Amino acid sequence: MGFEVLLKGKNMIRLLQGLGVALKISLISVVISIVLGLILGMLMSLKKPVINMLSRIYLEIVRIMPQMVLLFIVFFGFTKLTGRNLSAEVSSIIVFSFWGTAEMADLVRGCLQSIPKIQYESSMALGLTRLQTYIYVIIPQIIRRLIPLSINLITRMIKTTSLIMMIGIVEVLKVGQQIIEANRKSSPHAAFGIFATILLLYFLACWPISCLARYLEKKLV
Amino acid sequence: MNITVLQEYLPIFAGAFLLTIKIGLAGVALAFVIGVAGAFARYFKIPVFSAIIKCYVELFRNTPLLVQLFFIYYGLPVMGIRISAEICGILGLGLLGGSYMTESLRSGLEAVPKIQTESAFSLGFSRPQTFMSVILPQAFSISVPALVANVIFLLKETSVFSAISLMDLMFTAKDLIGLYYNTTESLFMLVVFYIIMLLPVSVLGSIAEKRSRLKMFGSD
Amino acid sequence: MNEILKIEHLTKKYDDLTVLDDISLAVNKGEVLVIVGPSGCGKSTLLRCINGLEDIQDGKVSIDGKTGMVFQSYELFPHMTVLQNLMLAPVKVQKRKKDEVKKEAGQLLERVGLSAKKNNYPRQLSGGQKQRVAIVRALIMHPEVLLFDEVTAALDPEMVREVLDVILDLAKQDKTMLIVTHEMAFARAIADRVIFLEGGSIIEDTTPAQFFDAPRSERARKFLRTFEFENVH
């Protein structure tokens, strides 16, 4: 069924290395997204008109523009605009962080809104200062709600990074195609085995993280 | 930006747009059908079927559409199952979307309080009547925000069709950039057509969300 | 007599809507004041003005010491255990020693019958248990005045009693309390003084016996009638 090709030479290791490239880019983008998203989400809940308007435009762009389109704009547009080449890796990290930051900011804003006002009041009634209320009462509650949501963002980021092959990064799908090409004669069914394996690899990367997110959501919230 | 180039590109992109929309909508429709059936099976815990749906949902929600398409389009034919690119696109989008719709509808169904079923029974409704006229409409209202988000997500995902040589918007843009180096014009048209496709859905979605909230709580 | 709380000409408005209109009231140490009245009469707002959760437009509130408040919806911190809920404010606000606070928390929990629950999270408790913890959380700050804002209104009937018993016990210890409630039998049993509030003004300020048996105002009579039923047989 084409699985035998995986046992030839270093094929399996090459596939895993390809997956590693995708995972590395998702991890970097997730970290950037979480940091920037936390900051933007808090800015958004200040309810300042200018910030509100700008962030709404930003969120709407991310909501309707496919990441693939953004990837093309950054990858090809940057070269066109500056005459210099932006590496595919950097382009993809920029785009995925741009997307992830918007997602994260929206989650943070939602969490901040979901803490009832009377929680602030009961802290005040106990004599806690505004700062103490945030440190001991509000922020710990927000973090608890955010942890499962941010973990979910990781799986979505991993799935999204499969797009990077389209701007020429040699990741797991590209490696797969190369292996299929190279073994066209000896293993005519390689396409089935290789793509099934890649499907499984992505599943093995994302599924445990999804389960963890679900478990934490039940436990923490 | 060159206006003549834009004029020249307009019909090419319009054609690609129609193809993208066609496959996108067909995929969304298939996703809804799968979603309703899947949610039904999960909600009523229909033996075997419910377990299959559960595995299907986990598999498709935890893998990228691009890889799913590659498997269907390049992997299946070598085993003798040949599918055209268009059907592959619809099938891929429908299966991916079906897993998301199943989850959204199922959690909508589960969010309707059990007492609603009981009160419908006590009014003399039969089991199917209760489901169709009491539970389902409420579940649907609860699910609207998630369903809208799913539709937008699926229409955005159409951008990966170019990978299986479907002449969609993305493919056209990439092709034209490769052929004539008119990067700015191509990217501009690409963005414009995606805005045309998704902005109305996004706006209508927000309105639908407001109205379903109104139905549920009487006001927002 | 020893005045602990004094309200002079308190006025509270939301935009044009006057919620409390020129309220004057003095409470003595150890007194239990029950505030009753129809919904929307400003009872809860009065408590919130006393502990500074609402800013006031006119008048003065002076308290000899600090207040503790118990809310209708408990408002325990969901991410902390019972013990952590109790210790947060004494340790962070009053800078008291952890050991000493922990010991006192243990004693107070024992007193309200919840020693076994000290390491549980609020979501693992029943409504009545949560409310008893919320009362202890207010008590442990050693407030001079305790404010209770419809603390049994969100509870199932069978849990009302366990919470009211705790408050009755506090009255025996001569705590100064202001209680907003709809439980008329309880109000009558616990009150040293009853305030009847309507439309943002004090209509009656009298003894429970006088208020419940022979209210002076027609409005109070009408209010009390809403709690009675005609005999149908």
Side-chain angles (χ1 to χ4, degrees), chain A residues 152-190:
Chain A
N152 250 327
L153 188 64
I154 300 177
T155 62
R156 292 168 62 205
M157 192 66 87
I158 293 174
K159 286 185 285 172
T160 307
T161 45
S162 63
L163 300 179
I164 58 181
M165 76 156 296
M166 307 281 274
I167 55 168
I169 297 180
V170 182
E171 45 63 79
V172 58
L173 269 174
K174 194 80 209 165
V175 173
Q177 283 180 326
Q178 289 169 351
I179 295 174
I180 295 164
E181 275 308 312
N183 300 281
R184 192 159 284 280
K185 287 236 171 61
S186 57
S187 308
H189 297 319

Side-chain angles (χ1 to χ4, degrees), chain C residues 91-153:
Chain C
V91 171
K92 299 298 175 190
V93 177
Q94 297 178 324
K95 314 282 179 210
R96 280 153 64 185
K97 287 216 169 55
K98 272 193 178 170
D99 291 343
E100 173 245 324
V101 177
K102 198 169 183 171
K103 209 174 130 207
E104 188 181 351
Q107 289 162 352
L108 288 170
L109 283 175
E110 172 98 55
R111 189 151 193 153
V112 300
L114 288 174
S115 300
K117 302 285 182 189
K118 66 175 178 230
N119 293 319
N120 287 45
Y121 283 92
R123 63 168 178 276
Q124 299 167 308
L125 305 182
S126 72
Q129 292 171 332
K130 279 188 226 178
Q131 197 58 293
R132 281 183 278 160
V133 173
I135 293 172
V136 171
R137 188 174 70 171
L139 275 180
I140 200 168
M141 297 291 283
H142 307 144
E144 276 71 23
V145 179
L146 276 164
L147 310 172
F148 293 89
D149 187 5
E150 303 200 28
V151 293
T152 57

Side-chain angles (χ1 to χ4, degrees), chain A residues 1 60 62-69 72-73 76-77 80 99 155 158-159 162-163 165-166 173 177 188-189 191-192 195-196 198-199 202-203 206-207 210-211 214, chain B residues 58-59 61-64 66-68 70-71 74-76 78-79 100 148 152 156 159-160 162-163 170 174 177 181 183-184 187 190-191 194-195 198-199 202 206 209:
Chain A
M1 299 230 287
E60 191 61 24
V62 172
R63 183 167 144 107
I64 67 172
M65 269 303 129
Q67 287 96 305
M68 194 70 224
V69 173
F72 263 50
I73 293 175
F76 291 111
K80 178 82 182 178
W99 167 72
T155 62
I158 293 174
K159 286 185 285 172
S162 63
L163 300 179
M165 76 156 296
M166 307 281 274
L173 269 174
Q177 283 180 326
H189 297 319
F192 183 85
F195 289 130
I198 296 175
L199 210 55
Y202 264 107
F203 181 75
C206 293
W207 190 59
S210 300
C211 291
R214 223 168 333 181
Chain B
E58 290 298 322
L59 180 66
R61 280 179 69 98
N62 285 295
T63 48
L66 191 57
V67 183
Q68 294 161 15
F70 270 46
F71 178 73
Y74 298 113
L76 292 184
V78 298
M79 305 307 283
Y100 280 82
V148 170
I152 293 175
K156 278 165 77 178
S159 61
V160 309
S162 58
M170 213 61 226
K174 201 177 176 183
I177 292 173
Y181 297 106
T183 314
T184 321
L187 291 177
L190 181 64
V191 168
Y194 264 109
I195 290 176
L198 283 158
L199 195 58
S202 173
S206 304
E209 267 172 48

Side-chain angles (χ1 to χ4, degrees), chain A residues 97-152:
Chain A
S97 305
F98 181 79
W99 167 72
T101 299
E103 295 275 332
M104 191 68 197
D106 211 25
L107 296 178
V108 172
R109 194 194 44 146
C111 283
L112 277 167
Q113 273 178 358
S114 69
I115 307 277
K117 190 169 152 245
I118 195 159
Q119 279 275 314
Y120 293 85
E121 291 177 350
S122 69
S123 314
M124 306 273 191
L126 284 170
L128 295 170
T129 63
R130 189 164 277 276
L131 186 67
Q132 284 174 327
T133 302
Y134 270 99
I135 295 177
Y136 299 113
V137 179
I138 306 302
I139 292 177
Q141 289 189 55
I142 290 172
I143 289 176
R144 259 148 218 271
R145 289 176 203 210
L146 271 181
I147 286 174
L149 299 172
S150 332
I151 291 176
N152 250 327

